[in-house]
Amino acid sequence: MPETMTTYQAPARQPNGPRPQRASALAARHAPYAEREKQLHPEVVEALREAGFARHFVPSRWGGHEGGFEDYLTAVADVSRGDPSAGWCAAILASLSRMAAFLPEEGRRTVWAQGPDTLVVGALVPGGTARTASGGWLLGGRWPYVSAVHYSDFALLAAQVPLDSGRSQTRFLLVPRAAYGIERTWDTVGMRGTGSDTLVLDEVFVPTEHTFLIRELASGQQPGDGPAPLAVPHKNVSGLSFAAPVLGAVRGALDTWTRTTAHKRAASNAAQPPAVSAELDLARCSAQADAAELLLTRAARDADLGALGTELAGARAQRDHVVAVDLLLDAVNRLQRTGGTGAQSLGGDLQRFWRDANTAAGHAVLKWEPAARRFGAARLAVPVGDLS
């Protein structure tokens, strides 16, 4: 597989407009700003919007692209090749727009009243508190780790909401940017530019029509009609959102390592034969990146084809998300270790890709044991004779 990524097609609305390659170049240029300020440069955010990430999964009825997961994977990895923090935010903006399509009609109309490029962020772990009110709930509290929150237009917040029966259920509730504040709490080793700060919400009324059950997202059962990308159970594709930036980070690390090594060789004494270890390291790391990409592409393509409808198929996709990231981590750690003294410079790109890849890989959906247990249980539940 060639080192270059497949070109992502921009929305039909702007056939001659920006592509993710422009966003990637801008992200790379502004990476020092993102590292320092712990959030993306505004120009990068606008480039992500223009590239079509926010509208990628939005139904065509609302002006969206109704795109698929394979294009999503490729585009996120492409941006991440310049700056993984920017790729992470691109993935989040696309994924949360997909989630917004699970809102009832009134909620969707609110989100996309100004068009399909609305920037939606969110918190999938329930937080805050909700109180029953006529026609909805009063919601308030704090939600940490909300990536790209500084540039958001809306937020989808998970919360336990009370029912008249005295029981509770987990819902996503939509709140507009004017309703919430931001507390600067994001200070990490890697992925510093994602701006994943804490969303703070004073109590605000959220009507029922601006909410949906988390189980609808989990099952892919969305109210009303919607395109195929909405019908995929969330756990079967959620790993793509976090594996894709790791893939891009390792591609970026390979670019940096290769350029640096080639420059060292050109400047070395021609009379002294170069060590062959560099070729061995490059071959192994690039092969691991290619293998990871193949696994992720298969999982994304299966999602696009509607082939993740069984528990075994979904479990295999989740397994492959995690295995791909393990391969990528092995590659980027080898690159950092063999990059020489210069690779340790805090001003260098290699260590940034290395830190970002390892930080992104720590996300909860990329843990090995849950994915392995799910796959093992699904595989063992299928009679041997029924397996192809």
Side-chain angles (χ1 to χ4, degrees), residues 4-40:
T4 55
M5 305 295 289
T6 303
T7 302
Y8 171 65
Q9 298 300 315
R13 175 177 71 88
Q14 34 187 342
N16 299 315
R19 300 294 194 270
Q21 284 77 3
R22 176 176 179 271
S24 182
L26 277 174
R29 184 190 312 165
H30 289 303
Y33 173 96
E35 288 268 301
R36 182 179 67 253
E37 301 298 325
K38 301 172 189 173
Q39 65 182 67
L40 298 183

Side-chain angles (χ1 to χ4, degrees), residues 154-246:
F154 288 91
L156 277 170
L157 304 175
Q160 293 285 343
V161 301
L163 302 176
D164 293 339
S165 64
R167 304 179 67 180
S168 65
Q169 59 183 197
T170 306
R171 283 185 171 267
F172 284 104
L173 297 90
L174 180 73
V175 293
R177 177 64 186 89
Y180 53 86
I182 301 168
E183 184 178 336
R184 298 298 296 263
T185 56
W186 185 245
D187 188 17
T188 54
V189 171
M191 287 290 183
R192 294 172 64 82
T194 62
S196 303
D197 286 310
T198 298
L199 184 152
V200 182
L201 180 67
D202 290 335
E203 197 169 67
V204 62
F205 175 71
V206 182
T208 303
E209 293 78 10
H210 287 190
T211 76
F212 64 91
L213 290 167
I214 195 170
R215 67 168 178 260
E216 293 171 349
L217 176 68
S219 65
Q221 294 177 351
Q222 172 250 6
D225 55 350
L230 302 182
V232 183
H234 186 66
K235 65 181 177 180
N236 295 347
V237 291
S238 62
L240 284 174
S241 298
F242 308 107
V246 182

